[in-house]
Amino acid sequence: MDPSATTSSPRQPFTAGTATAKKKKKKTTAEALSHDVLCIIFSFLDLFQLIRCSAVSTSWRKAINKLKLNQTEYVKQRHNDPNGLQDASFSQRSLSEQAEQLAMERHALALQRAPASVIQWKGHSVGVNQCRMKMGKVLTGVGDKVMRLWSAESCKCLDEYFLVDKAPLIDFDFDEGKVVGLVGTRICIWNRTETRNVFSSRENLFTKGLCMRYVDPEAVIGCEDGKVRVFDLYSRKCSQIIKMHEGPVTCLAFTDDQLLVSGSSLGTLSLSDLSSDQRVVLLGSTFSAGIKTLCFNPSSYMVFAGSTAGNVSCWDLRKTNRTLWETRVSPNVVYSMHHLRNDTSTLVVGGIDGVLRIVDQVTGEVISRCIMDDSSTVLHCSTERFGTVQIESRKLKRLSEDDRIDLMPRASRPQITCLAVGMEKVVTTHNDKYIRVWKFRK
């Protein structure tokens, strides 16, 4: 480890007043509610709301499961459904499957039809062009020398992760324990703990890296020489080098069974098995331009690829030589695509023309096209450690197929450089100072 690459976050002095404030805060938290109060509150919620509440904390989930409120509400809804089964006997597994299906259907309908607002704020001092979202938290960066973690609900900054030197941040990802970044020609790891440590691998670990995907315990780097380098986060060494393409590797996607999908600037897709160090198959492509972004769906085993020419294609990895569909969704570059992990119906696509598109995963049909309204409303101001942030709201406008996108003002459709999808929401970055959360209301 490079000693110069280790930093620690400044600590606030501990005082008696601080301890008192912490005690007061603890008394007002939702965790302090008694079991009886929770039961009363939960009894007023529908199934979908109960599902969301069960993800808040262990105590809430235990209360909901113990009281079998989910089951009661599920039976009630099935009883009122003329096409449903009039049967109250079902297992907890059946409930989970039905609840997940209900949540995915509700999410898909919200993206396709629901009214929405776009919440925006200036989160960085210069243009930010990448974002990642997990469990309601959004990590943004690339542009200035800091990554920031935000709450997707309150838009407040939760944490900051600073680069240790002048090397450029190229790509990043995070989980509950750490932030992993591709910085210049090395990998950096930030521990998400109270005592902040930054590990930096040695310089020139690989040739110029263009993209990175991280699934603990490995980070895979796509490089300009057509190879991918697999970096083991625990041994802190490069454990594999696999030749994937003749041209630069521009995007990557992982499967749950250690398969790696990569796209290249030559318009080809390659599939490799990380457990055997071998390229499994080179997928065919009709792209005349390079592949810019990839997205893998573990529920359907389909992979989606977006090109620099505006095309989106879909492959079934169980039938590797078969392209299911290919659609020209945009007149120009598709920069980013994403979907909820268990959603097999909708795919959100963004690119250089600034239109947020909802695409059917099965057919490739563009279901909805969205941009922002011209006017904005100031909601409130938030005081963060790096300054005051003004939170604004803009309305969402859905376009018809006949609308001329080229005639619409660029302020309403800044290029979408990256996006991430959450439950009934989409986070976008645009290579400007703004971070935007598109909230689709039921």
Side-chain angles (χ1 to χ4, degrees):
M1 181 185 294
D2 182 1
S4 65
T6 303
T7 62
S8 60
S9 59
R11 294 176 179 271
Q12 301 230 349
F14 184 84
T15 64
T18 305
T20 305
K22 286 186 176 180
K23 287 182 179 178
K24 288 182 179 179
K25 184 176 181 181
K26 188 174 182 180
K27 289 180 180 179
T28 59
T29 181
E31 290 293 323
L33 294 176
S34 68
H35 185 81
D36 291 338
V37 172
L38 286 174
C39 293
I40 294 171
I41 295 172
F42 290 152
S43 66
F44 289 98
L45 304 182
D46 62 24
L47 176 61
F48 186 76
Q49 292 168 329
L50 286 172
I51 295 168
R52 301 188 74 167
C53 286
S54 67
V56 170
S57 68
T58 302
S59 62
W60 284 26
R61 183 167 61 253
K62 286 181 178 178
I64 291 172
N65 289 338
K66 184 176 180 180
L67 293 172
K68 299 186 182 296
L69 292 173
N70 327 46
Q71 291 94 325
T72 303
E73 183 62 25
Y74 177 77
V75 172
K76 189 189 302 180
Q77 291 192 17
R78 295 294 283 179
H79 181 75
N80 294 331
D81 182 2
N83 298 319
L85 298 175
Q86 307 293 323
D87 185 6
S89 61
F90 52 88
S91 65
Q92 183 66 35
R93 181 181 177 186
S94 174
L95 170 67
S96 300
E97 292 173 350
Q98 294 293 335
E100 181 180 297
Q101 181 181 352
L102 175 65
M104 292 302 102
E105 289 175 356
R106 187 158 173 160
H107 166 75
L109 286 173
L111 293 183
Q112 295 173 42
R113 305 176 189 172
S117 58
V118 183
I119 310 301
Q120 64 178 27
W121 67 96
K122 290 182 180 179
H124 290 261
S125 59
V126 298
V128 54
N129 59 20
Q130 289 205 44
C131 60
R132 303 286 183 266
M133 179 162 57
K134 294 177 181 177
M135 298 299 292
K137 295 180 177 63
V138 181
L139 186 65
T140 59
V142 183
D144 52 11
K145 292 298 179 180
V146 60
M147 291 176 284
R148 292 195 169 106
L149 188 69
W150 309 85
S151 164
E153 191 61 36
S154 67
C155 307
K156 289 190 67 66
C157 183
L158 305 175
D159 213 337
E160 295 180 311
Y161 306 93
F162 292 90
L163 272 67
V164 296
D165 53 31
K166 295 182 179 180
L169 176 64
I170 299 167
D171 205 348
F172 58 84
D173 206 345
F174 76 106
D175 59 18
E176 293 181 355
K178 53 187 163 292
V179 174
V180 180
L182 172 58
V183 182
T185 58
R186 66 186 191 274
I187 292 291
C188 290
I189 306 169
W190 291 260
N191 291 326
R192 292 182 58 193
T193 57
E194 192 171 324
T195 303
R196 184 64 48 76
N197 291 318
V198 181
F199 164 78
S200 176
S201 66
R202 61 182 176 82
E203 288 279 3
N204 301 317
L205 186 66
F206 39 79
T207 57
K208 184 178 180 181
L210 302 177
C211 56
M212 184 203 74
R213 283 296 176 266
Y214 154 66
V215 176
D216 195 57
E218 295 173 326
V220 179
I221 303 99
C223 299
E224 197 172 45
D225 61 1
K227 298 177 182 178
V228 297
R229 270 82 174 174
V230 182
F231 183 82
D232 187 286
L233 299 182
Y234 294 105
S235 67
R236 297 177 177 179
K237 295 179 180 178
C238 187
S239 60
Q240 293 173 266
I241 301 176
I242 307 172
K243 179 69 174 181
M244 300 288 279
H245 299 277
E246 296 303 319
V249 179
T250 53
C251 48
L252 298 164
F254 267 124
T255 73
D256 291 346
D257 50 359
Q258 290 294 294
L259 291 180
L260 176 69
V261 187
S262 64
S264 81
S265 60
L266 301 180
T268 55
L269 258 72
S270 187
L271 185 65
S272 176
D273 186 352
L274 292 181
S275 63
S276 65
D277 296 349
Q278 296 294 321
R279 187 176 72 183
V280 176
V281 66
L282 186 66
L283 299 177
S285 174
T286 59
F287 290 151
S288 58
I291 296 177
K292 194 69 176 176
T293 179
L294 284 174
C295 186
F296 172 72
N297 191 328
S299 298
S300 62
Y301 226 67
M302 293 179 184
V303 64
F304 306 94
S307 80
T308 55
N311 297 317
V312 173
S313 289
C314 173
W315 281 267
D316 185 342
L317 293 187
R318 294 163 297 191
K319 304 172 182 177
T320 51
N321 292 324
R322 180 184 174 190
T323 305
L324 297 183
W325 52 260
E326 182 171 349
T327 306
R328 182 79 180 276
V329 302
S330 172
N332 214 311
V333 185
V334 172
Y335 282 125
S336 186
M337 301 182 298
H338 199 224
H339 57 77
L340 282 182
R341 177 179 175 85
N342 296 320
D343 181 14
T344 58
S345 60
T346 55
L347 176 70
V348 184
V349 179
I352 197 170
D353 65 355
V355 179
L356 192 74
R357 291 177 172 86
I358 315 301
V359 177
D360 189 310
Q361 289 190 29
V362 178
T363 65
E365 176 190 0
V366 179
I367 306 170
S368 181
R369 301 164 180 83
C370 309
I371 62 171
M372 295 180 292
D373 192 76
D374 294 336
S375 60
S376 64
T377 303
V378 177
L379 297 179
H380 59 87
C381 292
S382 174
T383 302
E384 306 292 352
R385 65 192 80 183
F386 54 87
T388 301
V389 175
Q390 182 172 282
I391 312 297
E392 303 173 347
S393 176
R394 300 177 69 173
K395 292 182 179 180
L396 177 141
K397 180 180 179 182
R398 294 192 186 269
L399 306 177
S400 69
E401 293 184 17
D402 299 328
D403 285 330
R404 288 281 304 276
I405 296 173
D406 58 314
L407 299 179
M408 297 175 182
R410 291 296 303 181
S412 298
R413 51 182 191 88
Q415 63 174 338
I416 299 173
T417 57
C418 191
L419 62 86
V421 179
M423 181 61 72
E424 299 181 11
K425 65 173 67 72
V426 178
V427 176
T428 57
T429 54
H430 308 264
N431 206 27
D432 57 18
K433 300 178 183 180
Y434 281 100
I435 302 163
R436 294 180 172 92
V437 181
W438 307 58
K439 296 186 176 183
F440 296 82
R441 301 184 297 272
K442 61 183 178 180

